[in-house]
Each structure stands twice: as C-alpha cells, then as structure tokens.
Amino acid sequence: MPRLPPSLFWRAHQISPHAPNLLLACRDLPSTALELRWIKDHITTTPSTTTPPFLRLAHLIRLRARGLPLQYVLGTQPFGTLTIRCRRGVLIPRPETESYTLELADVLFRTPTRSLTVVDLCTGTGCIPLQLFASLRARFPSLAAHGVDVAPGAVALARENARQLGPLGAAQGVTFHRASIFSPAAGLPPFPAGEIDLLTANPPYISRGAFARSTARSVRNHEPRLALVPDGVPASVVAALGCEAFPEDVFYARILELCRGWRPKRVFLEVADGEQAGRVFL
Amino acid sequence: MITAAPWVCRSCAWSLRRASASQFMRRASTGGLPPALLARARKVAAEHDQLSAQLEANYDPKVARRAGEISRVATALNVFEKTKASLAELDGLLNSDDAELRDLARDDIESATAELTEVGRQLSVALTPKHPFAHMPCLLEVRPGPGGLEGRLFADAVFSMYKTYCENMGYRARVVKYETADEEGMGRTGGELALQEAVLEVQDEGAYGLFRGEAGVHRVQRIPVTEKTGRVHTSVAVVWVLPSFPTDGTEAESDWENPESDFYIDPAEVRTETMRARGAGGQHVNKTESAIRLTHIPTGTTVSMQDSRSQSTNRKWAWMLLRSRIAQQRREVREEHARSIRKGLILNNSRGDKIRTYNYQQDRCTDHRSGQDFHNLTNVLEGGEVFGKVIKSAESWLVERDIQEILADEEEVVPSGNKKNGGK
C-alpha cells in the first residue's frame, strides 16, 4: 500500500476533523468526503434513542478507519431496487452482481410462461433471488425463488432480508435453505429435472495465490474467506471432480454436475476472469 | 388611523397608511396592469369584435374556434373597463359637496379597488402566454463561474439560499447532486464549501414557472474569507433552471417515449460509463463504486452522478438530469431562433449577462432586469421573505418581457402597424 503524503491528511482535516481517520481507509479525498457524507446521512436517517449522534459518528468512523468495509459499518448495501442488509461473516453484494442480476431479470421478464423457478446457489445475503423476485413477482403469478447457502449466518441474514419484501414475499415465493452443495441430500428440496428456469451462482472462485495478491485489504481482513476461496473442500472431492490443477474451479465443476440431474433451462455463473471462464465453460 | 391592533407605533402606522395609499394610486391609473398588457388586451378584444361580426354574416368553424379562444380575454377586458369606469365615477363623487355622498363613495371605493385588482389579475392571466414548461417541476443547477475558490464558495451560498427558500416556502425540494471540489484551503471558509456542481430538485408542479427567472449569472461583490488584504472581489455563480418531470407521473413515462417530445432521448445515442478503478473486480474488491457518467453523443452533453451509494439511483438521477438538460437546450435553440427572426427588437437576455448582484458591503441585492434594489442581504441569502420579493420582481419582469415579445411578433405579422410602439 503506497504511503499517503501528510499534506493529504491536513487537507482532509480541513474538511472535517473525522476525515483524516476515514482517509486511512478511503485513500483519497473525494471518496473520503463522499463516505463521510454517507455515514452522516445514515445517522440522520436511522435515529437512535440511546446514543447521541456525535458518539455514533465517532464510533462508525472508528470502525471504518480500521478498514472495516463501509457496508458492514452502515449495515446495508443498496442492490438494485432493494437495500440489502450486510453483516460480518457474509459476503457484501458487489456492483457487478447487481448489474447482471438486473439484466437477468430483464431477460426472464420476456419468458412466455406464467410460472417461474429460480435457484441461486451460494446465495450469501440472498441478494440475487430477492432482487429477481422483486423484479418479477408482478409478471409471474407463480414465482418461486430459492437461495442455498452453507453458512447458517448467511441463511439467517438472507431470511432477514426477505422480510423487507413485505409479508407476502416472506411468506411465499422466496425460500432459503441451509445446505452444502457437495452433500445436497440434507436441506435441499428435490428439484425435478427441467423445473428450474434459471440457476445462478456466485460461488467462491478466488485461488489461494490471488487471495494473497490481488484482493483488497478490507476484503482479505474482514470478509469471510469461506465465501471467497474454495479451499475448504476435501482433497478427495477435488480429485473426484478433476480439479487438482485449478482447485479454485471446484465449485463450478460441482454445480455443472448438479445441473446434469436438475437440467435447468438457463445457468448463469459469476467467474473471476476470462481465463477461468474458459476453463469452466469450454 | 384606526387599526385592529390595540396599539401600533405611530411611525409604523404611518408607513402602513402610505403604502396602501401609493398602491391605490398605482391601481387607479392602470389597475395594476402593465400598459403593454392592456394594449394587447385591447387589440385582442378588437379582433374578437371583428370576428364575431364576421361570424354573424357567415359561420366558419375555424373563425369560431379562434373567437372562442380569445373570448375570455374580451370578456375579462369588458369587466375590467366597467370596473375602472365605476371606480372613476366614485373618485368623482369623492369631490362632491354632499358629505353623505362622499362617505358612501369612500365605502364603495375600497371594495371597487379590490375588485379591480382581481379583475386585472384575471385579465393578465387570460393574456399572459404560458411557458410550455411552466407547469412542470424543476431542477435548479448551481455551478461556480470561472475563477478560483471564491466563486465556488459563493456558488455554495447561492445553492443553500435556494434550498432554505424552498424549505421556508414549504416546497418539496431535495438535493439531487452536491459535489464539492477538492481544493487547497478547503474547510477554512466560514461554513461554505467549495462547490463544484449542485442540483436541487423542486418537486412541486409549476416550480419551473416560479424559478425560471432565476436562470443566469449571479454576481457577488464581497471580501472573500480567503482574502488577506481586505480587497473586494467580484465573482460569479451560474444558475440553470431545467424542467423536470414529477417523479410519480405516469404521463411522464409516455412523454419520454414520444420522439416528438423535447424530453425524448434515443438510448442508442447515450454512452453509459460506470467509473471504477482498474484491476480485478468482483469478489476481489468491496469498494462502493456507484458513480455513473452519461454522455449524449450528438450534443456532447455529459452528466455524472455519484451522490448515492446505489448505482441504480445514480443512474436514474443522471438520466433525469440529462433529459432535462437536453430539453432545455432544445427549447433555447428554438427561442433563440424565434428571437433572431424578430431582429433583436427585444432586449436580449443571454446567459452571458449578469442578472443579479449580491453586494455584501452595501448589504444589497440588485436584480438587473427589473432594476430593483433590495436591502437586508442576510435575509436574502437565508432565503427569507426579501428573497421572495426578489424572485417576484424577476418573475414580473419576465411576464412583461413575454408580452412585449408577443406585441413585437404582431408588429412583424402586420407590417402596416407602426414599429415605434413595438418593444423597446
């Protein structure tokens, strides 16, 4: 990480006495000013009865200065039309995910059927199935969105997020399951072949080396490694799927294996880069 | 003078009395209407008489429609003239010898004056051409003029002036964009920030009509906070007033889709860029990168928006701002064209001319178009009632100008008419 010149801290101090602390995490003045404003907005829009605003501001700034992602500090991340709650231990929804989810919703909107089933594996906060459900529920009378994750914390958070769709959304349509895709027998509903219209997944896809080299510091230090690097999979399973050379592809191999049984009409997978895409899809 | 209040300071009472008297004097002569408007009303009424005579001879639906359109003006003028005549009569009675008659006249004159004002207002409403965007909500865009920090700071003062004015007046306003510059000396500026660009949306219908007189160059003369030797600097901030759509409007959607509309933009002509750092994306980074930039390729208009954490919100606002800017540009091109046909008969008010000066040393705000001075600058900059008066003066100037333009147009249409009376 390059060193920041002291003059930058002086100029930050002139914006606000809190700004130099934020600068530690933001690394430049424009984004410091912007984040300071967002934190202040957050405090005014979510009033607290117990803590005075200046203490909350100081507290949140301190958290952010430690490098905690802004999304964890504020507890939310806007995603399409929704505001997804975020919490430590669950991956933060990314803008790339947001943009392709909205694109997928557009594509699905033109499907000439009355019912639709979407399944998202490694769902995390549940942002993908929730946004698809929110965009499509007016169009499809019977719409089912499923999210699957192995982490209990993620499933709990996803269910919390489902509640913001209103009582209807929480009651029917969106369901979250805690299951491992490597042993799906427990916890996963049986999908008959051909029932799934869209299968999406944003699985952990970063290799060990890339995790050490090319991830941002706040990702490395504060986001769950489980959602980023697929190195918790037993070596025997990796070998059985034929991914010894590239263990970061193991989730894709498993998902494609599942697809042979489920026969989804469409599959959408997020990958790291062109190289990985070549290995997964060709 | 007897007032409803039990005790009023004598000088206050005196000033109140004088104010009403002077108002009365003004109304008595023209009924509070600009002479140009009255001239136009007479012209329209004459046309109406001629048309109705023509209609009696032989019926023509085209003529009938035109007659119907202007009948409102003719009726209003009729009532206006009558009221004025009766007021003049009452004025005459005031000088009569009979004391009882004088008292009666004095009683009646008050109600007659009120009636005349009302009728005059109706007449001007019937006559005043309505700006095609006047019924819309608007976007107020404030940018610093060329120059350094001082202009940016003043732009911030102007922006907060409009913001608090909207709050005071109870308009639904919200800040769409507020971008400050990253500059040396930022912060040490007495509460003002170095503004780069700010946009305020006033969501009330008709806000465009209210604020359209505000567009132009606002000049400030003051000693900047950053100035060490105490010299007075002059800098400017530019205000743009753009039409916008009500956010909940369903008709708005259809209007965007309509290629005839000023607001129509072909999505193929717009380049969208999301601004984000280079390098690995996706799971590798978690920075909030919601900034977006739209470029309208044919006109080169760019809009960038980064105020919200949500990219879709930024995109929505950026599109709205782009639409408004393009619509305003199209409208201006058309008005410019119309004006060039008129051969500069009318005082041209291009954006290059300053419209208003805020002088801190003299505690004065001057509107250069209406030529009026207003004191109590603090109140103006706080968006108080004095600022309301400033806006009103600009608005009435605009109405006057619109009417003059129409008169000038008619001079053009009827070449036999004497040119001396048209415009300035």
Side-chain angles (χ1 to χ4, degrees), chain A residues 79-84 96-111 115-121 123 125-148 161-162 164-165 169 172-176 196-202 266-269:
Chain A
F79 188 89
T81 56
L82 308 174
T83 304
I84 296 287
E96 290 87 353
T97 313
E98 178 184 353
S99 87
Y100 72 67
T101 306
L102 294 173
E103 200 65 34
L104 284 173
D106 265 3
V107 172
L108 289 178
F109 202 86
R110 294 192 288 269
T111 314
S115 68
L116 196 74
T117 305
V118 293
V119 177
D120 180 42
L121 304 176
T123 195
T125 55
C127 53
I128 300 175
L130 290 172
Q131 178 58 51
L132 289 176
F133 186 80
S135 308
L136 297 170
R137 65 173 154 187
R139 161 75 181 77
F140 296 97
S142 87
L143 172 65
H146 298 272
V148 178
N161 276 321
Q164 65 163 304
L165 289 174
Q172 59 180 57
V174 189
T175 18
F176 291 101
I196 301 173
D197 293 276
L198 172 69
L199 181 86
T200 55
N202 180 9
R266 295 187 184 87
V267 179
F268 189 96
L269 305 173

Side-chain angles (χ1 to χ4, degrees), chain A residues 52-65:
Chain A
F54 76 96
L55 279 184
R56 288 179 73 200
L57 180 65
H59 174 65
L60 296 182
I61 299 272
R62 211 175 306 128
L63 290 179
R64 181 70 186 115

Side-chain angles (χ1 to χ4, degrees), chain B residues 155-166:
Chain B
D156 192 38
V158 169
F159 184 70
S160 62
M161 173 175 82
Y162 285 116
K163 206 169 78 179
T164 45
Y165 178 69
C166 287

Side-chain angles (χ1 to χ4, degrees), chain B residues 36-52:
Chain B
L37 195 80
L38 214 54
R40 172 156 168 80
R42 296 224 167 87
K43 210 165 183 176
V44 172
E47 189 190 347
H48 183 252
D49 287 348
Q50 186 205 335
L51 287 180
S52 33

